[in-house]
Amino acid sequence: MRLHAEGFAAGWPRPRFLTARFAGPLAFSGSGWRWWLADEDAQIPARLFDRFLREGDPAGITLLRERAEKDKSRRIYRLVPPEQPDAPGYFVKQMSLIPRKRLGALLGCSSPLVGMSHGTAELAHNLALDERTAHGVRTFAFGEYFRCGLPARQVLLQEYLAGWQAFSDVWRQHEDDAACRRALLWQLMDVLAALREAGICHLDLHPGNLMVSPDPRAPLRVIDCGQMCMDADPAVSAALHLGVFLHELNGKRTAPSPRLAQVACRLLQRLAGSDAGLDGAGRLLPLLVGYSTKKPFSRRRLLGRDGLDPVALERRLQKLAQERPPSHRASGAPALGEQRERRLIASIEDMLATPR
């Protein structure tokens, strides 16, 4: 690509995955934003969003959702260039960074000191997932706004999955369709096997972060990759993926049927049957199925622990479950929850018993 922007941030050590795969940094206007482009075609959407950031021009841009907190905000947009009205468009994630994370975002480092999650880390995870598996989403451009020499705001401009739905939505829509649920579970296993083969642990892989295509033959796609680990024990990683996913799919029930843990362990053995850490992962999995592991619990620390203590871990999860506000616990009528759990167990048993 012939585009370049000399002199900006000269001498700053930017991460290799950024400089090797993207051209930049580029200045399109006086907005203060600098852009990295995967190819020249990414200029059109990047320039359009740069104009939106500079002038507030909403042409072609739709706000999908927003989360604003003190010192931290995140906005999600769909961008469809006016000259391409019939195209799927682009998915845009804009985020602000707290001061502690800005050096990590500059250097592409993740640590407790400089932050584990920021736009640069999410870009690295997106690239790894897209390059090592069939389940990633392409990133076309990466934008940064600097303050005092460090990135304070960042933008990821990615492929928009038009017509795709979250796994959780498709699952609920087919409560009485055994064949469809069986196919969904096989596709889930494909994703988990691919993540294991690639050495990737997605620390927030739940049914809302796995997208299902209108084409039933298309692989599922993994989104929201801000929190990932690239060097976890493969068996523990597989247990974490399965446990978090099934806990969420089961309506976050804190006292699930023992049968659910049993079928989950059968799924884990199918995924990681030859892994050295399978015994420890098998003891961990029932706890992950039965308890929420959202913050303040650290899934990342769980991956890094040597010699898991299931008794101490269960006490910790029980205490957190009691402290969580009611809105974070399982909701709905108990009878309905039990019925859905029975259907979930039956679907898993059906998948395990039916050759693909």
Side-chain angles (χ1 to χ4, degrees):
M1 187 183 300
R2 290 176 296 174
L3 293 170
H4 64 283
E6 296 178 354
F8 179 77
W12 281 117
R14 301 314 305 272
R16 174 67 180 166
F17 64 81
L18 177 62
T19 58
R21 294 173 174 82
F22 292 80
L26 313 172
F28 294 141
S29 68
S31 67
W33 283 82
R34 299 297 184 268
W35 296 90
W36 298 82
L37 306 183
D39 54 42
E40 292 201 30
D41 291 340
Q43 276 196 77
I44 293 175
R47 286 183 180 276
L48 185 62
F49 201 73
D50 183 85
R51 187 175 69 187
F52 170 72
L53 293 168
R54 183 181 77 251
E55 303 173 0
D57 184 353
I61 296 172
T62 303
L63 177 65
L64 300 179
R65 60 183 181 272
E66 179 179 20
R67 188 179 71 181
E69 303 172 6
K70 184 179 179 182
D71 297 328
K72 183 171 65 173
S73 67
R74 180 168 297 181
R75 294 179 177 87
I76 304 297
Y77 302 89
R78 183 180 183 182
L79 185 158
V80 179
E83 57 267 51
Q84 302 170 351
D86 298 324
Y90 301 86
F91 176 91
V92 184
K93 177 185 287 189
Q94 180 189 353
M95 65 195 80
S96 61
L97 304 180
I98 60 175
R100 179 174 63 87
K101 294 186 177 184
R102 293 174 185 176
L103 180 61
L106 177 75
L107 303 177
C109 301
S110 295
S111 75
L113 182 63
V114 296
M116 301 301 303
S117 61
H118 40 70
T120 317
E122 187 163 349
L123 173 63
H125 301 156
N126 287 335
L127 293 173
L129 188 65
D130 189 40
E131 293 171 359
R132 300 183 198 177
T133 79
H135 307 288
V137 177
R138 288 188 62 196
T139 301
F140 298 103
F142 178 59
E144 298 179 294
Y145 184 89
F146 279 69
R147 185 175 297 144
C148 300
L150 298 174
R153 297 160 65 194
Q154 296 181 308
V155 162
L156 290 164
L157 196 151
Q158 300 172 286
E159 177 183 2
Y160 188 84
L161 301 178
W164 292 59
Q165 293 180 277
F167 188 102
S168 52
D169 294 335
V170 180
W171 184 262
R172 284 193 297 266
Q173 292 164 12
H174 295 87
E175 280 190 329
D176 299 314
D177 189 336
C180 180
R181 285 197 160 190
R182 186 190 316 130
L184 285 170
L185 288 172
W186 274 119
Q187 287 183 300
L188 169 63
M189 293 293 283
D190 289 341
V191 172
L192 300 187
L195 292 174
R196 177 178 173 276
E197 181 67 23
I200 295 173
C201 182
H202 191 303
L203 294 169
D204 197 22
L205 188 68
H206 59 73
N209 280 345
L210 200 56
M211 304 301 292
V212 181
S213 171
D215 179 358
R217 298 166 298 178
L220 304 184
R221 309 285 278 278
V222 179
I223 62 171
D224 202 3
C225 300
Q227 295 278 357
M228 292 177 67
C229 180
M230 302 296 187
D231 57 358
D233 177 274
V236 175
S237 177
L240 183 60
H241 287 150
L242 267 177
V244 170
F245 202 92
L246 293 179
H247 177 75
E248 296 270 345
L249 205 59
N250 196 36
K252 305 179 183 179
R253 290 171 61 85
T254 54
S257 163
R259 282 180 62 203
L260 182 58
Q262 291 168 5
V263 295
C265 288
R266 290 173 62 191
L267 290 175
L268 178 62
Q269 188 166 20
R270 178 163 292 193
L271 275 172
S274 61
D275 288 345
L278 182 60
D279 288 344
R283 291 191 295 271
L284 170 66
L285 182 55
L287 301 178
L288 299 173
V289 171
Y291 293 98
S292 172
T293 53
K294 289 182 177 293
K295 291 182 179 179
F297 186 83
S298 172
R299 295 170 183 166
R300 191 182 298 274
R301 288 183 63 188
L302 181 67
L303 290 173
R305 289 172 60 178
D306 295 324
L308 295 170
D309 182 349
V311 176
L313 180 59
E314 184 167 17
R315 284 199 298 265
R316 168 70 172 153
L317 293 173
Q318 285 176 339
K319 185 173 184 294
L320 288 174
Q322 293 167 359
E323 295 172 349
R324 293 185 192 279
S327 61
H328 288 247
R329 300 174 188 167
S331 59
L336 180 59
E338 291 173 5
Q339 181 187 55
R340 288 177 173 168
E341 181 177 80
R342 288 194 296 270
R343 287 179 170 176
L344 171 60
I345 294 169
S347 295
I348 297 174
E349 290 177 336
D350 174 50
M351 186 272 280
L352 288 167
T354 306
R356 194 168 187 178

